[in-house]
Amino acid sequence: MAKGMNIPAFGNLQGLKVVYSAVEIAGPESAQLMAEWGADVTWIENVFTGDSMRDTTYVKELERRNQRSLSLNIFSDEGKEVFLKLIETADIFIESSKGPVYEKRGLTDELLWKHNKALVIVHVSGFGQYGVESRVNRAAYDQTAQAFSGYLSQNGTQDQPMIASPYTGDYMTALMVVGSSLAALYRAQKTGVGESIDVAMYEVMLRLGAYYMMDYLNAGITYPRAGARHQNLCGIGVYKCKDGFLSLCLYGAKQNKAILDRIGLSYLWGTDEYPEGTSALWLNGPKAALIEKKLEEYLLTKPVAEVEEDFSKCNIAANQVMSVEELVDHPHYLAREAFVEWETMEGKKCKGPNIFPKFKRNPGQIWRPMPTLGMDTEDILSNLGYSSERIQDLSDQGIVKKSAAPEKG
Ligand code: COA
């Protein structure tokens, strides 16, 4: 679909206008989800290289579909004017930068609210808008947030912390931005008064990693990194089978009995150590080492698909660890159309995840591939009331960058 077209009306967010100025994943992916649910999303990119996401191979096509690209020097005097006009009709503005950059450069929340009282503003940064000054101004990516939040120290083996990939901190931040901005919008639409949200990526990961931290905060208990297994329960984690790996989440009385029967330990069930009805097999339990040993031995003799099938019949949550090659053509993925193909601006086929989640009454859509850098600059500015001459003038001064839609083929 070429430029100059109105966004089709679809999805639960039809009519919502989102503007964002951010690079890579954390900020943009939040706008991306909203774009797939029907919002009109304007992606502000710098006039030099554009969003560094453009340097990726294929993922950019997934994470910038349904968007419009406005290439604008947002911090120049004329650029600020364009930006402030743009947000007059926006509902949500999302920016991500090294701390309170917008405030320092004069684009304060108060100034934005002068132009749009009901605007929801989201500031995404590694460490927040305030705090220890030398920290809030730092650059941060996913791993930085995982490291500072204690999330990274909880994953991996005893010898080596490991990052939870790919880019968990970024994608979780994006989800928090979606949730918090729509919460603020709900309020803003009732009161006519906007909100400013300070999303620090490390705090996203702090909240995400708080499960075991609660034991430390309240009872001083710490756990060693458990690697591929659970910190304190038997039968939970990744186990090796004859021909592959099984992800097993053993929990519940019936499930425990079924496993003990299979691994030759039926005699433990209904004893004082493991009374009937035992739903958790604790790692510090009396026969935990024996249960783990027998389970490992049993699984090593069985094909993973067979175990998955057998355990699933007993309501045990067990799944083969699927590789990407295995999942792409899995019948369940095909039945739910988990992947979809669309055409890039250049006319090439691109395959990626379908719209998520599946809304029954107001489904999302892919109406447009990723635009080229500045492809929508002219349209957006002319919609804001700028004449062609003025747009050309701004382009000549390097305040904006415009480009034509690429040739197909
Ligand atoms: N017009 C003019 N200037 C712009 C601009 C625009 N449209 N967009 C960005 N800039 C400026 C920035 O203010 C910055 O200037 P500065 O270094 O003098 O402060 C410069 O261009 C580079 O900006 P940025 O896009 O932030 O790149 P970076 O390489 O310096 O940092 C991050 C990139 C992602 C590390 C940083 O933006 C950051 O920490 N963001 C918050 C957390 C985050 O989102 N991390 C990425 C998760 S995927």
Side-chain angles (χ1 to χ4, degrees), residues 24-26 72-75 96-98 105 125 139-141 170:
E24 294 292 326
I25 302 168
L72 172 72
N73 184 340
I74 203 172
F75 297 121
S96 97
S97 48
K98 299 172 290 258
R105 299 200 171 184
S125 61
Y141 288 99
D170 296 333

Side-chain angles (χ1 to χ4, degrees), residues 21-28 44-48 52 70-76 95-99 101-102 105 124-127 137-142 167 169-171 173 201:
S21 172
V23 295
E24 294 292 326
I25 302 168
I44 300 180
E45 299 187 77
N46 71 57
V47 290
F48 318 109
S52 48
L70 164 64
S71 183
L72 172 72
N73 184 340
I74 203 172
F75 297 121
S76 62
E95 66 88 7
S96 97
S97 48
K98 299 172 290 258
V101 167
Y102 278 66
R105 299 200 171 184
V124 179
S125 61
F127 303 98
N137 299 317
R138 291 188 192 182
Y141 288 99
D142 158 49
Y167 312 113
D170 296 333
Y171 289 106
T173 300
M201 285 179 64

